[in-house]
Amino acid sequence: MMMMKKSIATLVALFAVMTVSAQQPDTLRFMNDYRQFVGFVTTKPALTKPVADSLIARQDALRRQYRKVKPMLTNAQVEEYNRLKGRYTKKMLEYRGNRVGDGLSATGDSIAKTTGRVGSAVGGFFKGLFNK
């Protein structure tokens, strides 16, 4: 009876060690994948809409994966993930800012062209507002 309890305890301990060791490669693989993803995103000089859309989809998939592996990550890995996520977010904000700036510039050009046909008071306001 004592031998049976000891062997059961050994099996439980072995199972726990195997579970931890099986989970660890998942966390390492996730962190390596995320490092590579953020490295790729941050080295792109400029993003186009189709590329940005695919990067956003990939980030969403990685975020879902992060939620699954987060309980198994060390504090250092969580800190690194958040740092990498910040770098990704910064790049995407730059992209979105450029798109908004380009859109405002195009809108300003369009308004400046059409204001010549509108009354001089309104036209002068928009020309002053959007003039380069």
Side-chain angles (χ1 to χ4, degrees):
M1 178 109 162
M2 181 68 145
M3 183 66 146
M4 190 172 179
K5 286 183 180 179
K6 192 174 189 179
S7 60
I8 289 174
T10 304
L11 284 174
V12 169
L14 181 61
F15 180 72
V17 169
M18 287 174 48
T19 303
V20 169
S21 66
Q23 291 170 348
Q24 204 159 23
D26 288 342
T27 61
L28 296 176
R29 186 176 20 257
F30 168 77
M31 290 305 296
N32 286 332
D33 288 349
Y34 201 70
R35 276 186 215 105
Q36 289 174 352
F37 170 72
V38 172
F40 173 78
V41 171
T42 57
T43 57
K44 296 291 274 179
L47 299 175
T48 61
K49 183 168 178 12
V51 171
D53 289 345
S54 68
L55 293 175
I56 291 167
R58 177 72 175 135
Q59 168 65 13
D60 289 344
L62 286 168
R63 187 180 312 118
R64 284 190 298 274
Q65 188 178 0
Y66 171 73
R67 288 182 184 137
K68 291 178 185 175
V69 300
K70 184 179 178 183
M72 297 175 274
L73 294 175
T74 66
N75 288 342
Q77 288 172 320
V78 171
E79 183 179 334
E80 180 183 8
Y81 170 82
N82 287 323
R83 187 173 40 79
L84 290 168
K85 184 179 171 188
R87 289 177 53 204
Y88 164 81
T89 302
K90 179 182 175 184
K91 182 67 174 185
M92 295 310 288
L93 287 173
E94 289 172 4
Y95 161 71
R96 288 182 177 145
N98 290 341
R99 286 192 61 211
V100 168
D102 292 345
L104 287 175
S105 177
T107 302
D109 291 344
S110 175
I111 289 173
K113 288 177 187 174
T114 59
T115 54
R117 290 178 260 161
V118 180
S120 61
V122 175
F125 170 76
F126 282 114
K127 283 181 183 176
L129 185 62
F130 292 106
N131 219 4
K132 291 183 178 183

